[in-house]
Structure formats: structure tokens, C-alpha cells
Amino acid sequence: MLGQLLLNILIAFLWVLLQDEDSFQFSTLFGGFLIGLGIIYVMRRFFFKEFYLRRVYAAFKLLLIFIRELLTSSVLIITQILSPRIKITPGIFTYKTKLKGDWEITALSLLLMLTPGSVVIEVSPSNDVFYIHAMDIPKSKNAVLRAMTKFENAIMEVTR
């Protein structure tokens, strides 16, 4: 992936040099970058790896999923805080994950801890079970489980 990106940047700079303009134009560099994308996409089978923009798209999609989950969980927390009587049932539950690598496990736990109302307390020594504290088990457990499966699938798209 990094090799394809560097090759694309090299093609873009070569395009700028071959245009023989008096001054540097960003539009020429961007055009060269787009031409490099086309060249790399056509020759992608020679790289023995997938086209690098697929992972960039998957990372952008993961960011959008995180923002959406952050906003929805924030609304849930705000409604809990602003209610006249706080009726919450905090608790701990477990979640078995399909993720394998240390980076994947860390990313999932950090993404979950950044969404309000849930905290990863511990990860099992075998790295396949999360112990999660939720602010309100009846309401937020399903939301947390839904968010974790979305995060898990998006992380697998980025890393695998």
C-alpha cells in the first residue's frame, strides 16, 4: 500500500516536471496524481496487493461510523443527564471479538471508550473477550453491541 502511494506521488511529480510550466501549479500536481491513480489502477495486478484506495476508503468509512456512533451515544447520555430522575442500571458485560491482532484489539477498545456511556475495563489474556462497563445496561447494552460489531467489521476492512 505504501509503495503504491509513493509511486503515485512520484508519477504526480513527474507529470509536473513534464508539463514545462514557468511556476508550480497545484492543479497540475493534482492532475498528475489523478493520472497516477489511473495508471496504478490499470497495473494493480502487478503489485500483488489490492489497490491502495480501497483501504483509504475503508478508513474514511470507519471515521464516519465513529462520528455517527459518537453523536448517537452523546444524545443518549445527554437525555440521561437531563432527565429529572436518573434511572440507570450500570453493569458489566462481555463481548467476544473476531479481531486477532494487537492493533485491531487496541483500535476497537479505543473507539469504544471514546463513545460516551461505555468503558472497556479489561481485555482477556487471549485477546478475544472484552469486559465492558455500560452506564445503563437495559438501554445502552444493545447500542454498545451494535456499535462494536460495526466498528469490528470496519476495522477488519481497514486492516485485512
Side-chain angles (χ1 to χ4, degrees), residues 77-89 135-136 139:
I77 297 299
I78 289 170
T79 56
Q80 286 285 344
I81 291 171
L82 294 178
S83 65
R85 291 188 180 254
I86 297 179
K87 294 181 181 179
I88 59 172
T89 312
M135 187 177 87
D136 192 13
K139 290 184 182 178

Side-chain angles (χ1 to χ4, degrees), residues 1-42:
M1 181 174 133
L2 182 64
Q4 291 178 12
L5 177 64
L6 291 176
L7 182 62
N8 197 359
I9 292 171
L10 177 71
I11 291 171
F13 278 113
L14 285 175
W15 183 259
V16 169
L17 291 175
L18 291 174
Q19 291 302 311
D20 193 33
E21 295 176 341
D22 293 333
S23 63
F24 177 77
Q25 300 289 327
F26 181 75
S27 60
T28 307
L29 181 70
F30 185 70
F33 188 79
L34 292 178
I35 289 173
L37 275 177
I39 291 170
I40 292 172
Y41 182 75
V42 168

Side-chain angles (χ1 to χ4, degrees), residues 118-130:
S118 60
V119 175
V120 175
I121 296 173
E122 187 176 353
V123 179
S124 69
S126 59
N127 285 343
D128 62 346
V129 177
F130 286 98

Side-chain angles (χ1 to χ4, degrees), residues 24-89:
F24 177 77
Q25 300 289 327
F26 181 75
S27 60
T28 307
L29 181 70
F30 185 70
F33 188 79
L34 292 178
I35 289 173
L37 275 177
I39 291 170
I40 292 172
Y41 182 75
V42 168
M43 301 187 70
R44 70 185 180 279
R45 66 183 179 135
F46 296 112
F47 292 114
F48 303 110
K49 291 184 180 180
E50 66 180 344
F51 187 52
Y52 79 96
L53 275 187
R54 289 184 193 258
R55 286 200 181 182
V56 171
Y57 173 72
F60 182 70
K61 194 166 79 171
L62 176 63
L63 178 68
L64 290 179
I65 289 170
F66 170 69
I67 291 170
R68 185 180 65 214
E69 291 299 323
L70 180 67
L71 291 176
T72 57
S73 62
S74 296
V75 168
L76 179 73
I77 297 299
I78 289 170
T79 56
Q80 286 285 344
I81 291 171
L82 294 178
S83 65
R85 291 188 180 254
I86 297 179
K87 294 181 181 179
I88 59 172
T89 312

